[in-house]
């Protein structure tokens, strides 16, 4: 009777084949993630980042110890506080109409600047329609854009800077003068824990239109009949989050005068003068909102692209390690066991 010797299979070729397949799979992942990183930043982000068409926002600004024109006596008076309520409402229906005419993805903002005295009575009321590209914030000139009912053709930005704001000057539209002028980049600041870009724009004394809504039923025609005209000057300051392009704070040194037409030597009447600042509670809400929005932009511009690049580098490294191990020369295997002697009965 004989005992049969069991044969042992060498596992090394199988392991080399598995390493080879795993290396190719990891290499494919490395190529995929490395290609996805720039696509996310330079292709997906410009198309996905946009202003929602139905956005609504309200901000209250105040000028304390201001000067106002009393239309009852036609004399300037001191006011403990003047409030400026700025509302911004996205008009989805009008945006669809403009999109059909222009073929562009646009946002239509119907805005209102409402000025009230310390008793809450109206000082002026100026509506506005602003039409712009949802992705770039470039103005889109289309029928319907206006300031206080007067058609305008905007150049430059208004209310908001582009995503990924640059350290440079921009053209900024002034709705009082109905014209655009440079707003200058003045440096990087830290505001409430955020790194922001600081911008300034100064509008010299300019003759401007009288608002169509004034106290006591006054109108531009009545002001003109009284032999007066409205002049305006301001220095506006913005602290802008460069990631979202959204201002986190804004201030103005605002001045308005009623001057006598054709009589420059006669003393003008101060219609409004004050340092306008954002009310603290709205300032805190704005900083909180912008801080949340900037995380979404950073996800598309920084976190995901660099994360994909890191995954691609890691997959490439593992692929090269497995490939190198697969190409390593085989070590001598164990010596075969001697066949057993036949057993005799």
């Amino acid at each position: 009777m004989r005992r049969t010797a069991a044969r042992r299979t060498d596992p090394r070729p199988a392991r080399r084949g598995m390493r080879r397949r795993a290396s190719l799979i990891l290499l494919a992942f490395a190529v995929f993630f490395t290609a996805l990183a720039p696509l996310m930043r330079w292709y997906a982000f410009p198309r996905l980042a946009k202003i929602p068409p139905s956005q609504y926002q309200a901000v209250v600004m105040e000028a304390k110890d201001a000067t106002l024109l009393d239309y009852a006596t036609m004399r300037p008076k001191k006011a403990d506080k003047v409030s400026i309520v700025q509302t911004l409402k996205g008009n989805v229906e009008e945006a669809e109409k403009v999109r059909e005419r222009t073929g562009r993805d646009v946002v239509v903002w119907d805005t209102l600047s409402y000025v009230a005295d310390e008793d809450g009575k109206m000082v002026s009321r100026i509506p506005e329609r602003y039409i712009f590209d949802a992705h770039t914030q470039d103005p889109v000139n289309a029928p319907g854009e206006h300031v206080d009912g007067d058609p305008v053709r905007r150049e430059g930005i208004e209310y908001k800077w582009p995503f990924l704001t640059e350290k440079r000057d921009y053209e900024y539209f002034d709705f009082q003068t109905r014209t655009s002028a440079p707003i200058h980049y003045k440096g990087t600041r830290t505001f409430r824990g955020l790194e922001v870009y600081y911008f300034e724009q100064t509008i010299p004394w300019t003759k401007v239109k009288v608002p169509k809504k004034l106290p006591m039923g006054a109108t531009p025609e009545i002001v003109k009949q009284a032999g007066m005209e409205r002049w305006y000057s301001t220095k506006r300051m913005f602290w802008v989050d460069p990631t979202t392009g959204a201002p986190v704070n804004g201030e103005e040194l605002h001045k308005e005068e009623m001057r006598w037409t054709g009589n420059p030597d006669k003393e003008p009447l101060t219609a409004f003068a004050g340092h306008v600042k954002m009310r603290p509670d709205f300032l805190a809400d704005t900083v909180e909102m912008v801080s949340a929005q900037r995380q979404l932009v950073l996800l598309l511009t920084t976190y995901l692209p660099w994360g994909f690049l890191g995954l691609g580098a890691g997959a490439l490294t593992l692929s090269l390690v497995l490939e190198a191990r697969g190409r390593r020369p085989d070590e001598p295997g164990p010596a075969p066991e001697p066949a057993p002697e036949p057993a005799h009965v």
Side-chain angles (χ1 to χ4, degrees):
M1 184 173 181
R2 291 180 182 270
R3 292 179 183 174
T4 305
R7 294 186 178 179
R8 299 185 60 184
T9 304
D10 188 355
R12 288 173 296 176
R15 285 200 297 265
R16 285 197 300 271
M18 291 177 62
R19 290 195 193 105
R20 179 70 175 172
R21 286 191 293 271
S23 174
L24 292 175
I25 292 172
L26 287 171
L27 181 61
F29 275 117
V31 173
F32 172 74
F33 284 123
T34 303
L36 192 59
L39 283 175
M40 180 62 66
R41 171 61 183 85
W42 303 109
Y43 181 83
F45 168 70
R47 289 160 177 78
L48 295 176
K50 60 182 291 186
I51 306 298
S54 59
Q55 182 176 356
Y56 177 83
Q57 188 175 353
V59 175
V60 177
M61 307 184 77
E62 295 178 336
K64 296 183 178 180
D65 300 322
T67 302
L68 279 179
L69 180 63
D70 186 340
Y71 282 85
T73 62
M74 290 303 292
R75 292 182 179 177
K77 66 175 184 178
K78 284 293 182 180
D80 292 337
K81 181 180 69 175
V82 176
S83 299
I84 300 96
V85 183
Q86 291 185 334
T87 56
L88 179 157
K89 182 180 180 181
N91 191 325
V92 179
E93 183 178 352
E94 286 299 320
E96 286 293 334
K97 293 179 181 178
V98 176
R99 186 179 296 113
E100 290 175 0
R101 288 196 299 267
T102 64
R104 298 178 64 177
D105 191 4
V106 302
V107 174
V108 176
W109 278 351
D110 289 332
T111 70
L112 178 66
S113 180
Y114 186 93
V115 183
D117 63 16
E118 54 195 342
D119 298 321
K121 297 179 180 178
M122 183 194 71
V123 174
S124 67
R125 179 183 183 277
I126 301 180
E128 183 182 2
R129 174 166 288 177
Y130 176 35
I131 306 173
F132 61 95
D133 188 285
H135 302 274
T136 66
Q137 283 75 74
D138 291 335
V140 176
N141 300 124
E145 61 174 330
H146 70 87
V147 174
D148 205 13
D150 299 323
V152 295
R153 184 178 178 85
R154 283 177 179 78
E155 293 180 0
I157 59 175
E158 187 180 10
Y159 297 110
K160 185 187 178 300
W161 273 249
F163 293 108
L164 305 181
T165 302
E166 299 176 6
K167 296 180 179 181
R168 63 175 179 86
D169 298 348
Y170 287 84
E171 287 292 308
Y172 192 90
F173 182 80
D174 181 277
F175 74 89
Q176 297 278 9
T177 64
R178 275 70 155 172
T179 60
S180 298
I183 189 164
H184 302 287
Y185 169 75
K186 293 292 186 178
T188 301
R189 311 280 175 87
T190 299
F191 184 82
R192 297 203 174 192
L194 292 177
E195 184 179 279
V196 298
Y197 294 170
Y198 175 65
F199 291 88
E200 280 186 6
Q201 182 190 52
T202 298
I203 303 296
W205 282 107
T206 306
K207 180 182 176 181
V208 295
K209 292 189 175 184
V210 176
K212 295 177 181 178
K213 295 286 186 180
L214 291 171
M216 302 181 65
T219 64
E221 290 74 19
I222 293 176
V223 173
K224 184 177 181 181
Q225 290 172 8
M228 307 191 78
E229 55 192 28
R230 180 170 172 256
W231 286 70
Y232 149 88
S233 174
T234 194
K235 176 184 177 182
R236 57 173 50 98
M237 297 152 278
F238 286 106
W239 290 255
V240 178
D241 170 50
T243 302
T244 61
V248 296
N249 187 31
E251 297 182 10
E252 278 198 35
L253 297 173
H254 191 103
K255 298 176 183 178
E256 295 179 23
E257 291 181 350
M258 290 294 188
R259 299 184 180 180
W260 303 95
T261 305
N263 194 352
D265 296 330
K266 190 172 183 179
E267 185 178 358
L269 304 177
T270 299
F272 174 43
H275 188 171
V276 181
K277 299 181 180 181
M278 194 179 296
R279 209 170 75 183
D281 54 338
F282 281 89
L283 181 59
D285 290 343
T286 301
V287 171
E288 181 180 357
M289 178 185 67
V290 172
S291 297
Q293 292 175 343
R294 73 190 304 271
Q295 296 302 317
L296 297 176
V297 178
L298 288 172
L299 183 68
L300 294 174
T301 60
T302 304
Y303 302 151
L304 285 179
W306 282 106
F308 288 146
L309 201 59
L311 287 173
L316 179 61
T317 301
L318 288 175
S319 173
L320 293 176
V321 169
L322 290 177
E323 181 67 18
R325 292 184 64 182
R327 292 176 178 272
R328 186 182 302 169
D330 293 336
E331 298 178 358
E337 296 182 2
E341 293 292 332
H344 299 281
V345 179

